[in-house]
Amino acid sequence: MSNKLLLIDGHSILSRAFYGIPPLTTSKGIHTNAVYGFLNIMLKAIDDEGCTHLSVAFDLSREKLLRSKLYPQYKAQRKPMPEELLMQVPMMMDMLKAMGIPITTLEGYEADDILGTLAKKAQAEGFEVTILSGDRDLLQLADEHIKISIPKTSRGRTEVFNYLPQDVKEQYGVTPSEFIDMKALMGDASDNIPGVPGIGEKTAQAIIMKYGSIEEAHAHADEVTPRRASTNLKEHYDMAELSKRLATIDTASPVSFDEEGSRLGNIYTEEALSMVRELEFKSLITRFSEHTTAQEPAASFIEGFKQSSDLYFARTIMSDAAAEKSIGFYLEASDAAAVLGLAISRDRIYVLCGTGHEADAMEREQGDEPLTKEGLIHMAEELIKELIQRNSRIYTLRLKEQLKLMPSLRRSSCIYDLSVGAYVLNPLKDSYDYDDLARDFMATAAETRTELLGKGSICEAAGSQDPDKAQAAFRTAAYSAAAALLSGPSILKALKEAESLGLYTDIELPLIYSLNDMELAGIRVDKDELSAYAALLKSQIDDIEKDIYDMAGEIFNINSPSQLAHILFEKLGLKGGKKTKTGYSTAADVLNKLAPDYPIVMKVLRYRTLMKLYSTYAAGLSQYIEEDGRIHGHFNQTVTATGRISSTDPNLQNIPVRTEEGKELRKVFVPSEGFLFLDADYSQVELRILTALSGDEKLIEAYRHAEDIHRLTASQVFHVPIDEVTPEMRRNAKAVNFGIVYGISAFGLGEGLSISRKEAQDYIDSYFHTYPKVKEYLDGSVAFAKEHGYAKTYFGRRRPIPELKSSNFMQRSFGERAAMNSPIQGTAADVMKIAMNSVNMRLSGLDKDGKQTGKSFRSRIVLQVHDELLIETWKDELEEVRAIVKESMESAVRLSVPLSCDINTGDNWYDCH
């Protein structure tokens, strides 16, 4: 294998990662997106290049650069590095040192010079070299054995473009060495290289393509075109010479190529793994831990635990646990086995494993009797019931999944799900497992679930014949139980200090049981209706596909962006397309603008809508229908930043409602025999909450008198009597009303209403003039979030907004919109959760402690979609259920503006609207 050297432009890649990846912070608020992006780009390059040697170069201070002495204005206009990026430079260097990767710096010289020198010296010694940088100035270094790789990161995804001499020539029309002369003519605003006045990139390219260098161009200056370029080249040739010196990378700088020192060894060291953990790069932990020699983390909060599958041992442990005032508890089961982790105290941690079936155990001798899966689950359930009776605290994780294993276990205020508690404290994290709790609330470490189990489950590993896998399963269960017990008091204390304890105990914990009941109930699907719907869509898709082929004049893959772009913009020559570096864009926003003028584009958009419905729902839903004819989806409590419930497997909250075909899909969802659907939908809940929180008297009065809020707004904003408001005025006012809730910009409103940005801004200004307290409230929300670092709902839910401190304008703008919207959307989510808990408890007849206090109804909630509840209602219970739902939803919170919900019934979901 030949030697391959990978050289990395440190500051360039770090900066590229910082601006290309959304803000990331650790639980302590430390910015990490640049380091995270750098590591991913570097590791991918190592894999792709198969390099044997590696080195990273960083710049030092600009003031001491030789180029700055030559030209004091060199890079002088550059803004200081953003604080969030600056703090990550030493972190990145520490990480590289921990990985054993050499870092090279040289006073007076830039990283480009170091990279160029190392590349040329390595090439001379027979190396293949790749230079990884976001700076296209390095293209001048491309050589037969030196490849320049330029990554471009957008929305967390990175694409790398590679350049050898022929690639530079193909893209820029000049050779790598001529690229220097081209830059000498056109200058470089980012580096403050002056160039020749009046000569831009295209003119510079044409001149160098013809003459090859600035010297030759100057010698033939009278022949240079256009005339202005000729004149300027003669008058400012000294600037061209200076610019060439500034632009030329020094490939003979005083650095030596240390072949042995740059040899790539094991970069996945224990020290690097420790840093990856500390920086909370969960997606990288497994990669590092797989290669490190460390068998255990540097710190661990369980020294040991006892494990057993013996029934008699299990009974003793259960007896001991039942006498405790608080325990850590974690149960997981599969078809083949069940594993229970119990933490009775800091030092007494047990893992019990049950396998086989009850019938098999009965055939064994009593003294030889093992612990079965069913027996372990039953014992766990009985333990929890006894602890509840004793009013003991039960700390656990992922309670909703465990409730399905213990169906007779009802709700209790004694059980604390710490995953949900950690989510309430910081809803921006992507996981709340035992290792997260250990790090965030116990200041210690543990191997992650993925490190221990890979992609498998505890039960799969526990039943393995491989003792290492079984041990990993038991360790995972032990960690889960111990982390729950040991972090529980800290999390409850933190919730109290954050004034979020009531939110956690009164809203989020009861919601676990409401969501579990809804998942267990599921929603019935009419398979015949679904098949008919699929057939109808398929027929429409076939027809529209044929129309598109006829209009295009050929058959092609409509789902291929490149083929579609070729047809629309090259073959048919449609005007108004958006060309990117990879070709014409066929994104929805581009096609939507073209659709009114081009029938084929309208057909394509229609085709996409129908295909989405067909693949995701008509064909996709069938795989989720279980033996009982119902879909038992998952409703997630710890995913969204605002507190909203989300839906997966499948996403039943995302069924389209704007198109008739989307609405038709609701016909496949039907109640069981003897039942009908009752649909309750909050009316303008977010607008009502905004009105109440802002205290705007005009809006409050309008809602109190049940006026048409959109018509009233149109009347106020457009200065016309309310009875003269046109449908278009009302539509525009409605867009403004709802847009204000989301901090809409003039650009966004203009796009939505197809009006100019100025006209949209006039609408917004007029709205705020009409309702000044709304403007005061929104501005106050932003100011509060900037001061405290988070937005806050009416019920105390916090959403951290680190983007507000970003130096990036787009990120700051997002943060300001989030600061405006989160208190409103989050409060609406809280209101729905309160209402949902109330309806669920009243239908079950249970109070928050699981005690039967009223009638138990046959009716049950089967679906929650943002502001809407769908209840499968026993027909004889209809009026009682209607009253319960209306009262629960409209009295969820008492505000200055009354809440209102619309209730409809039907024999399928569609008929409820």
Side-chain angles (χ1 to χ4, degrees):
M1 176 180 174
S2 62
N3 285 327
K4 296 190 72 173
L5 172 64
L6 174 63
L7 295 171
I8 299 179
D9 187 346
H11 273 111
S12 173
I13 297 301
L14 201 61
S15 179
R16 179 80 50 177
F18 175 76
Y19 288 107
I21 294 177
L24 292 177
T25 57
T26 67
S27 54
K28 297 178 181 177
I30 298 170
H31 291 272
T32 59
N33 64 328
V35 177
Y36 177 74
F38 188 108
L39 282 173
N40 277 294
I41 292 171
M42 180 178 73
L43 293 174
K44 185 177 188 303
I46 290 172
D47 290 343
D48 291 347
E49 296 297 326
C51 56
T52 58
H53 294 68
L54 173 63
S55 186
V56 181
F58 280 93
D59 295 315
L60 293 177
S61 62
R62 186 194 69 81
E63 290 75 14
K64 296 182 180 180
L65 288 177
L66 297 179
R67 287 182 179 84
S68 295
K69 294 177 181 178
L70 179 66
Y71 184 59
Q73 290 80 24
Y74 180 68
K75 292 188 176 181
Q77 87 296 350
R78 285 199 175 182
K79 295 180 180 179
M81 190 180 293
E83 183 65 31
E84 309 96 303
L85 174 57
L86 185 62
M87 66 187 293
Q88 295 184 64
V89 175
M91 288 163 51
M92 190 67 246
M93 289 188 170
D94 288 344
M95 174 62 77
L96 291 171
K97 290 173 185 174
M99 297 173 76
I101 296 172
I103 297 171
T104 306
T105 58
L106 184 63
E107 191 168 295
Y109 294 85
E110 295 181 71
D112 292 3
D113 302 316
I114 297 170
L115 295 169
T117 302
L118 293 178
K120 293 298 183 181
K121 288 184 176 181
Q123 182 186 33
E125 294 183 26
F127 277 73
E128 295 290 328
V129 181
T130 296
I131 301 176
L132 185 65
S133 174
D135 187 354
R136 69 173 185 165
D137 291 350
L138 288 160
L139 294 176
Q140 63 183 270
L141 298 175
D143 206 339
E144 184 180 356
H145 300 286
I146 300 176
K147 178 176 67 178
I148 313 301
S149 292
I150 300 181
K152 298 187 184 298
T153 304
S154 177
R155 298 182 181 181
R157 297 185 62 184
T158 300
E159 186 177 1
V160 176
F161 296 85
N162 294 315
Y163 295 88
L164 288 168
Q166 60 269 29
D167 302 305
V168 178
K169 178 77 172 177
E170 183 179 337
Q171 181 156 343
Y172 295 99
V174 296
T175 66
S177 61
E178 291 171 343
F179 189 82
I180 304 170
D181 294 82
M182 181 174 146
K183 189 170 181 179
L185 290 179
M186 70 186 207
D188 186 342
S190 65
D191 288 343
N192 213 26
I193 294 176
V196 175
I199 296 182
E201 182 171 354
K202 289 185 178 179
T203 303
Q205 182 185 44
I207 292 171
I208 299 304
M209 284 176 66
K210 183 173 183 179
Y211 299 105
S213 69
I214 61 168
E215 291 80 8
E216 280 298 306
H218 184 248
H220 298 81
D222 291 333
E223 304 166 18
V224 169
T225 56
R227 180 178 296 277
R228 184 184 178 198
S230 171
T231 302
N232 288 350
L233 178 60
K234 286 184 284 188
E235 291 181 0
H236 301 283
Y237 183 60
D238 59 330
M239 298 305 292
E241 291 182 304
L242 171 65
S243 297
K244 184 170 182 177
R245 291 178 65 186
L246 294 173
T248 302
I249 292 173
D250 187 347
T251 58
S253 59
V255 291
S256 58
F257 173 51
D258 183 355
E259 179 176 344
E260 202 51 44
S262 62
R263 187 177 297 278
L264 192 62
N266 176 30
I267 59 177
Y268 303 102
T269 64
E270 294 181 32
E271 186 181 355
L273 173 59
S274 178
M275 285 195 67
V276 167
R277 291 181 190 279
E278 185 180 342
L279 295 175
E280 301 174 19
F281 297 151
K282 295 195 74 170
S283 62
L284 294 175
I285 288 176
T286 300
R287 177 164 185 160
F288 276 74
S289 62
E290 282 177 349
H291 296 86
T292 186
T293 56
Q295 297 301 309
E296 302 291 344
S300 174
F301 60 91
I302 55 170
E303 297 301 326
F305 54 90
K306 295 181 179 179
Q307 63 200 51
S308 177
S309 301
D310 181 78
L311 179 59
Y312 299 105
F313 177 77
R315 285 174 178 159
T316 301
I317 298 308
M318 295 293 186
S319 178
D320 288 348
E324 294 291 320
K325 291 184 178 180
S326 60
I327 69 163
F329 180 98
Y330 183 77
L331 175 66
E332 192 169 308
S334 68
D335 291 340
V339 179
L340 172 67
L342 277 178
I344 297 177
S345 69
R346 178 177 294 274
D347 302 317
R348 290 197 295 159
I349 301 166
Y350 303 94
V351 177
L352 302 172
C353 182
T355 57
H357 300 282
E358 203 74 62
D360 297 334
M362 294 298 184
E363 298 174 1
R364 298 175 182 269
E365 295 290 333
Q366 187 175 11
D368 210 17
E369 190 176 1
L371 182 61
T372 67
K373 181 190 84 168
E374 291 79 4
L376 177 58
I377 293 173
H378 177 72
M379 292 173 74
E381 195 169 20
E382 292 302 308
L383 170 63
I384 296 298
K385 289 178 181 177
E386 187 169 349
L387 286 166
I388 290 172
Q389 285 184 341
R390 291 173 178 267
N391 207 31
S392 299
R393 284 194 170 188
I394 302 143
Y395 295 115
T396 191
L397 312 175
R398 301 179 177 181
L399 175 59
K400 181 156 63 75
E401 284 72 20
Q402 297 180 72
L403 291 175
K404 291 177 174 58
L405 304 174
M406 301 178 283
S408 68
L409 184 66
R410 295 304 303 175
R411 65 181 69 240
S412 171
S413 58
C414 295
I415 307 178
Y416 296 87
D417 185 331
L418 281 316
S419 295
V420 173
Y423 163 74
V424 171
L425 288 168
N426 185 357
L428 300 187
K429 295 172 65 64
D430 59 359
S431 69
Y432 304 90
D433 211 341
Y434 64 81
D435 58 302
D436 300 288
L437 271 56
R439 181 190 61 242
D440 297 343
F441 302 99
M442 298 160 58
T444 187
E447 303 105 316
T448 66
R449 182 179 290 260
T450 304
E451 282 181 88
L452 289 168
L453 303 174
K455 295 182 179 180
S457 69
I458 287 179
C459 296
E460 289 170 348
S464 170
Q465 298 300 312
D466 183 342
D468 290 336
K469 285 187 177 181
Q471 183 65 13
F474 300 145
R475 193 168 188 84
T476 305
Y479 272 135
S480 299
L485 176 65
L486 300 177
S487 68
S490 298
I491 290 176
L492 294 179
K493 181 182 177 184
L495 286 164
K496 186 175 182 179
E497 290 172 349
E499 300 179 341
S500 301
L501 186 59
L503 171 72
Y504 173 63
T505 58
D506 299 339
I507 299 178
E508 293 293 348
L509 287 181
L511 184 69
I512 296 170
Y513 299 92
S514 298
L515 295 179
N516 179 61
D517 290 344
M518 186 165 64
E519 290 179 359
L520 289 174
I523 186 167
R524 186 174 172 225
V525 177
D526 185 328
K527 291 183 179 180
D528 293 336
E529 187 73 33
L530 183 60
S531 296
Y533 178 75
L536 175 65
L537 283 180
K538 188 66 173 66
S539 174
Q540 292 178 343
I541 289 169
D542 290 344
D543 289 344
I544 204 167
E545 195 174 56
K546 185 176 181 300
D547 290 344
I548 292 171
Y549 293 155
D550 289 343
M551 297 168 86
E554 65 177 272
I555 294 174
F556 66 101
N557 184 356
I558 303 171
N559 297 309
S560 166
S562 59
Q563 292 187 36
L564 178 62
H566 170 74
I567 293 294
L568 296 180
F569 302 111
E570 295 177 13
K571 180 177 179 180
L572 299 180
L574 271 57
K575 304 300 181 185
K578 179 181 177 183
K579 195 165 187 180
T580 67
K581 291 184 178 180
T582 56
Y584 282 99
S585 170
T586 58
D589 61 332
V590 174
L591 298 190
N592 279 325
K593 290 180 181 178
L594 297 175
D597 299 322
Y598 299 105
I600 188 173
V601 177
M602 188 75 78
K603 292 277 187 183
V604 169
L605 289 171
R606 174 88 174 142
Y607 171 85
R608 285 182 175 180
T609 298
L610 295 176
M611 279 298 295
K612 172 73 173 176
L613 285 170
Y614 181 80
S615 60
T616 304
Y617 298 107
L621 284 179
S622 59
Q623 64 182 306
Y624 294 104
I625 302 173
E626 299 187 17
E627 291 182 5
D628 61 358
R630 305 174 79 89
I631 290 176
H632 298 268
H634 294 108
F635 292 88
N636 309 301
Q637 189 175 358
T638 60
V639 171
T640 67
T642 58
R644 273 190 166 187
I645 299 164
S646 69
S647 168
T648 52
D649 301 322
N651 184 354
L652 295 175
Q653 295 181 332
N654 205 32
I655 292 174
V657 293
R658 294 186 179 179
T659 63
E660 192 55 40
E661 291 83 8
K663 293 177 182 177
E664 286 286 322
L665 177 59
R666 295 190 170 204
K667 289 182 179 179
V668 310
F669 297 98
V670 296
S672 298
E673 291 297 323
F675 291 78
L676 49 72
F677 278 152
L678 182 148
D679 184 278
D681 195 353
Y682 272 121
S683 172
Q684 301 172 358
V685 64
E686 291 185 354
L687 268 178
R688 290 172 185 267
I689 287 169
L690 170 62
T691 299
L693 296 182
S694 69
D696 191 275
E697 292 85 356
K698 284 184 183 178
L699 286 173
I700 291 172
E701 277 304 301
Y703 274 119
R704 283 180 176 171
H705 291 89
E707 294 185 43
D708 181 335
I709 200 70
H710 303 312
R711 183 172 292 275
L712 175 67
T713 297
S715 172
Q716 300 278 353
V717 168
F718 300 120
H719 309 294
V720 297
I722 198 164
D723 56 354
E724 294 181 18
V725 170
T726 65
E728 183 181 3
M729 287 178 179
R730 185 185 183 279
R731 179 178 69 87
N732 290 350
K734 182 177 180 180
V736 176
N737 270 330
F738 287 120
I740 293 298
V741 173
Y742 290 90
I744 198 168
S745 64
F747 174 78
L749 182 62
E751 288 282 295
L753 294 179
S754 298
I755 58 177
S756 70
R757 190 180 304 186
K758 182 182 182 307
E759 191 175 0
Q761 187 61 55
D762 290 342
Y763 284 2
I764 293 171
D765 292 342
S766 183
Y767 179 95
F768 285 139
H769 178 75
T770 304
Y771 305 124
K773 286 196 175 179
V774 172
K775 175 76 164 115
E776 289 176 19
Y777 170 74
L778 295 175
D779 289 345
S781 296
V782 173
F784 177 90
K786 285 182 176 178
E787 180 182 352
H788 295 87
Y790 60 84
K792 189 176 179 182
T793 72
Y794 181 82
F795 296 94
R797 183 184 302 279
R798 295 183 179 186
R799 177 195 173 156
I801 310 179
E803 294 87 354
L804 286 171
K805 294 183 179 179
S806 174
S807 57
N808 181 284
F809 173 78
M810 296 299 290
Q811 291 178 1
R812 276 200 319 278
S813 298
F814 168 81
E816 290 174 0
R817 291 193 299 273
M820 295 181 206
N821 171 249
S822 293
I824 303 164
Q825 191 179 107
T827 298
D830 293 339
V831 166
M832 172 51 82
K833 289 177 176 180
I834 292 169
M836 188 175 176
N837 288 336
S838 175
V839 170
N840 190 55
M841 283 195 288
R842 292 176 70 177
L843 291 182
S844 66
L846 300 175
D847 66 10
K848 65 177 183 178
D849 290 311
K851 295 176 182 176
Q852 197 74 39
T853 57
K855 174 182 175 181
S856 177
F857 291 79
R858 296 181 66 179
S859 307
R860 59 261 177 103
I861 303 172
V862 294
L863 194 59
Q864 187 272 343
V865 182
H866 305 315
D867 303 331
E868 175 185 3
L869 279 183
L870 189 66
I871 293 95
E872 190 174 55
T873 308
W874 181 243
K875 291 179 180 179
D876 293 344
E877 299 170 350
L878 176 59
E879 293 310 315
E880 288 179 280
V881 171
R882 186 194 299 270
I884 286 172
V885 172
K886 190 169 184 64
E887 182 183 351
S888 295
M889 292 184 69
E890 293 186 347
S891 65
V893 62
R894 297 295 181 187
L895 299 171
S896 57
V897 175
L899 296 179
S900 175
C901 73
D902 301 320
I903 295 181
N904 296 287
T905 59
D907 291 325
N908 58 53
W909 193 10
Y910 178 90
D911 290 343
C912 292
H913 289 269

